[in-house]
Amino acid sequence: MTGSDTSPAARHLPSGAHHAVRPGSALLRLETTASREGVLDGAWWPRSRDIGAELPALVNALTEHLGPLTRVGLDATAWEELPTRIVVGDHVVHVDSFPVGDDTVLITRGDRDHFSLLVVPPDTPPEAARAAMAQSVSAGNLSEAEQILIDTASGAKPSGRPPS
């Protein structure tokens, strides 16, 4: 066993990962190339804004593909009761509040390996969510999360309803 085969830095997003995190709960899609040249590394479609219910499944799925994570960064204004840490297996993952907007989650593995995921709003229709997730994982995608949601109508409020 060599160090380069098992080190977290040697692991990258799997080609073609399209992973149901928990049936009926969330959907995770990761970039299909190892180059990581796009703006985003993947997309997450949680089923609610209850981060206590949604985050453990996301961290478990990412840990399976990327190895142990150290931090998750979220915009506290977008989630209900943001915890300061969660425990995955026997590993503590710190949860930080960043003003990244409700459309992005930042994942840190090790000290300097960062992943940025589009967050598709929970109430997004399936067709729009799939389009947003596909655009976010396109090799060389240069669109920011907010623009992807606008382009795919994933972040649009239904007409006739006042903004909340």
Side-chain angles (χ1 to χ4, degrees), residues 19-160:
H19 184 73
V21 176
R22 192 175 45 172
S25 169
L27 189 66
L28 173 67
R29 187 163 181 177
L30 302 173
E31 185 177 4
T32 57
T33 66
S35 68
R36 295 178 60 193
E37 292 176 359
V39 172
L40 298 163
D41 298 298
W44 177 42
W45 186 22
R47 295 294 181 207
S48 74
R49 288 288 179 185
D50 179 356
I51 200 64
E54 302 292 340
L55 191 56
L58 173 67
V59 171
N60 278 326
L62 288 172
T63 298
E64 179 183 320
H65 292 294
L66 303 174
L69 307 177
T70 56
R71 296 195 173 283
V72 174
L74 298 159
D75 194 323
T77 62
W79 300 94
E80 299 169 9
E81 300 181 34
L82 196 65
T84 58
R85 65 188 172 116
I86 64 169
V87 179
V88 178
D90 61 351
H91 189 74
V92 175
V93 178
H94 297 275
V95 180
D96 297 318
S97 177
F98 288 108
V100 293
D102 63 349
D103 53 23
T104 307
V105 60
L106 303 174
I107 305 295
T108 304
R109 174 181 67 180
D111 292 332
R112 296 187 182 131
D113 196 10
H114 305 283
F115 298 86
S116 181
L117 304 178
L118 166 77
V119 177
V120 179
D123 58 350
T124 301
E127 186 175 309
R130 282 190 294 273
M133 294 176 87
Q135 185 175 339
S136 73
V137 298
S138 296
N141 169 52
L142 298 178
S143 296
E144 298 284 338
E146 181 180 27
Q147 188 60 50
I148 290 172
L149 295 177
I150 292 168
D151 291 348
T152 60
S154 300
K157 299 259 186 237
S159 60

